[in-house]
Amino acid sequence: MAEDSNVYYTEGLPVPETPAPGDKPAFWKQTDVVGKRIPRVDAYERVSGTAVYPSDIKLPNMVYGAILRCPHPHAKVKKVDASRAKTMPGVRAVITGVSPKVKGLNWKYRNYTGPLFDSHCRFEGEVVAAVAADTRYQAWDAAHAIEVAYEVLPYVADYKEALSESAPKVHDGGNLAGMDEYERGDISRGFAEADAVLEETYETPCQIHTPMELHGCVANWDGDRLTIWESSQGVYAVQSNVAEVLGIPLSKVRVIGHYMGGGFGSKLKPGKYTVLASLLAKQAARPVKMILTREETYLCVGNRPANTMRLKAGVKSDGTLTAFEFECIGPSGAYPGGGTALVDWLVRDLYKCDNVRCRSKDVYINAGTARPFRAPGHPQGSWALEQMMDALAEKIGMNPVKLRLKNIPAISQGRSEPYTTTGLKACIERGAQQFGWKNALKRAKEQNQSASHIKRGVGMGACVWYVGGGGPPSTVIIKLFRDGSVNLNMGASDIGTGTKTVMALVTAEELGVKPEVIQIEHADTGTTQYATPSGGSKTVPTESPTVRNAAIDVKRQILEMAAEDLDVRTAELDYEGTEIVWRKDKSKRIRVTDVGRLKKRGVVVGVGYRGPNPRTKTVNPFGAQFCEVEVNTKTGEMRVLRFLGAHDSGRVLDRLTYDNQVFGGIVMGIGFGMTEFRQLDGKQTGKLCNRNWHDYKLPTALDVPVDMESLPIEIDDPEANNTGTKGLGEPVTIPTASAIANALYMATGIRFTNAPVSPMGMCRRLAARKEG
């Protein structure tokens, strides 16, 4: 059954097989505002500084929190003495693992549950104590005045050594966090049928989220009611977690998150700091603001895990892929975090191949726990697979674009289900055409045959994102007031991607009003409807159909009211923007604002729910990216000259925010492939070495190309949902690094299997080739 078989079903009950009259919305063909380049509805607030982020919140009598963290990668807390800290100027509250109201509180890492204050510290940055004081400086001074006796333990920092017998154990059960295996077909037969077989090992670095706005919150108690202003991707997730840890009803916890300055997955759930701020606020009887420092965020709020991947691939001389064998190892960190989650998905699903075997090992190390990071696992898998595809193409003498087009799957092989739509072929073909692939290839070859020390290369990479179709639950309420203005009420967070703008456009399109008359309430558990966190590219395909359903509910009620005024049947009326028109005689019409019952009632309230996704098909977005690079073979300097992203993410709802997502994803992918890595001192201390923006190199405006182009591949997908949308935020960063690596190979003839590729690394490889 299609996703919108019943707009008005009751959440949690079966969806009726027979839709109610007017229930099934027609798929949009022509739109008036949807798909246009519309500025953000909150653009002025954002650029003028009037938008209030959680880090901007100031309350009367507010004090500040600070956390004392374990300085060792592995240690046991033997004694904590906070007596001196409690007497210091401005100190209002101090909590440790032995504080009366803290004992017995637990914290969950996926399937692992441990104490909120764990005396066994398994990573540098684990919580030991927390302080609230009148100023930030007083709080930090008091935190550092707490005396702690540690038993320092041996550590393991290198995930590749974590499973050796001599490696220190992070947990009593050992360092193996989990394993995953997948197989289809016959691997041995697949390799036997191949005309060419290649095998290579690839490595990707640990990448840190490091969003612009720091992690943190403000917590305030009013009697037994707790209000939290959190920089979060999902206010209901924060509410649920905090209520569970503190053992209080959900109705007593209100979480507000109207603005946030980036998260990329690291703010899908709260951190211990949220609970600590709440406990300190209770003890101090004052609001507590606890915003982590930049250095803290490098330690304890997640990362994209490093991975080592071995990929063996077979191909026939005509380009038919015959076999993939993939092995991967990666670290969750100190607790379960998905160290190898989804790293193998592209190998399983992106290209048609009948014989595939994947094996992954997730291990524990003494470092901060991983969290989902924009397209978890996929950029790592792309780094291996897309370089292998180019290597196979070279081996059999085939253009890499042609090889990919030869192996387009008709169904999702990993799920054994057909796609609602698949735009992979169109992304590659139209992307290559728009990029000018053939001419760029020719120019690069001519440049590289010259005597110049400046070499050029072009490269590409393709992708599919594991999810991207969204899904229930979601509830939205829309109010149409008697003057024609509208209120849109939804629980979804706008994480900087323009969610509020997109949902306003959907509302405006369905109701025929201007976006300027729509007032939006969102991301507040006290006033807005339930929504799951904004992440995984699910927000648009989850919330936009729900918003449309709510608008349709408003229209249904208005049509019933207008039918009374016009003395005709409801089924004979059309809702045409600001007017209701009788289909049999279009001169018989009434303005929406003149509908009698609306004028009397003052408001009409529509409720929309998100129905299920198609039961027998899978909804996935696809993409292909193309780039051109330049390499100075004397200095090792690399420049990305231009990038094009061709993406099939269903219908474009706002072209402006769509393009911004594409460009932002490419920039993040450049960082993954060329500048970013977490450096642990694995030999002497086990500590993190680069925990700030000076030492951890994010790409700047000088590192990204001026020439970036977004090419939407819009394919009607009415089966996906009633707006025809699929996810975008994840796929736009998946193939970026691998496309760069393929371009660098063309420019230099060197295959860079270890990311990131730095100028120093380039110089070393060029020198080694010269000496060899």
Side-chain angles (χ1 to χ4, degrees), residues 673-691:
M674 302 184 74
T675 67
E676 297 182 50
F677 63 96
R678 180 184 70 178
Q679 181 63 58
L680 298 175
D681 177 10
K683 300 298 182 182
Q684 298 182 20
T685 66
K687 295 169 70 69
L688 178 59
C689 300
N690 54 338
R691 61 178 71 183

Side-chain angles (χ1 to χ4, degrees), residues 311-565:
L311 179 58
K312 183 179 180 181
V315 65
K316 292 183 178 180
S317 57
D318 67 352
T320 302
L321 295 171
T322 62
F324 282 134
E325 185 178 33
F326 180 83
E327 292 182 355
C328 174
I329 185 172
S332 266
Y335 297 97
T340 56
L342 300 179
V343 175
D344 64 357
W345 187 255
L346 294 182
V347 175
R348 296 188 193 189
D349 213 45
L350 182 56
Y351 299 114
K352 186 179 185 302
C353 185
D354 294 332
N355 308 296
V356 176
R357 182 165 63 201
C358 301
R359 294 176 177 172
S360 300
K361 292 182 179 180
D362 184 1
V363 300
Y364 294 123
I365 63 171
N366 294 114
T369 304
R371 287 191 182 183
F373 193 152
R374 199 172 193 171
H378 286 54
Q380 301 99 297
S382 176
W383 181 259
L385 177 62
E386 289 303 288
Q387 290 202 71
M388 177 59 77
M389 290 296 289
D390 265 36
L392 291 172
E394 182 182 42
K395 186 71 174 179
I396 63 174
M398 182 178 285
N399 188 293
V401 170
K402 186 177 179 181
L403 176 62
R404 288 169 171 84
L405 291 173
K406 173 74 176 179
N407 295 280
I408 302 292
I411 67 168
S412 170
Q413 301 160 101
R415 293 188 174 94
S416 299
E417 290 181 347
Y419 299 109
T420 53
T421 56
T422 171
L424 180 58
K425 181 180 179 182
C427 287
I428 296 173
E429 286 183 336
R430 292 177 56 187
Q433 181 181 10
Q434 185 72 17
F435 182 77
W437 175 262
K438 292 182 179 179
N439 290 334
L441 204 64
K442 181 180 178 182
R443 289 196 308 270
K445 288 180 178 179
E446 291 174 352
Q447 173 71 17
N448 296 342
Q449 290 170 357
S450 71
S452 173
H453 63 280
I454 303 296
K455 304 300 181 183
R456 286 203 176 192
V458 294
M460 72 156 295
C463 72
V464 59
W465 168 230
Y466 173 74
V467 288
S474 174
T475 304
V476 169
I477 291 178
I478 291 178
K479 298 176 183 177
L480 176 65
F481 296 101
R482 63 185 180 186
D483 65 351
S485 62
V486 175
N487 172 271
L488 168 61
N489 182 290
M490 62 180 184
S493 297
D494 188 329
I495 59 177
T497 55
T499 299
K500 288 186 289 185
T501 303
V502 167
M503 302 312 156
L505 297 185
V506 172
T507 305
E509 185 70 44
E510 193 62 40
L511 295 181
V513 300
K514 295 181 179 180
E516 294 79 17
V517 304
I518 301 173
Q519 183 259 337
I520 301 171
E521 298 172 350
H522 80 297
D524 182 341
T525 63
T527 62
T528 64
Q529 311 313 303
Y530 180 82
T532 51
S534 294
S537 297
K538 53 73 60 178
T539 307
V540 165
T542 294
E543 307 303 334
S544 67
T546 314
V547 170
R548 190 181 181 201
N549 288 342
I552 290 170
D553 193 15
V554 168
K555 290 169 64 175
R556 176 183 61 82
Q557 296 177 62
I558 292 294
L559 288 171
E560 291 173 356
M561 295 176 183
E564 297 175 5
D565 292 337

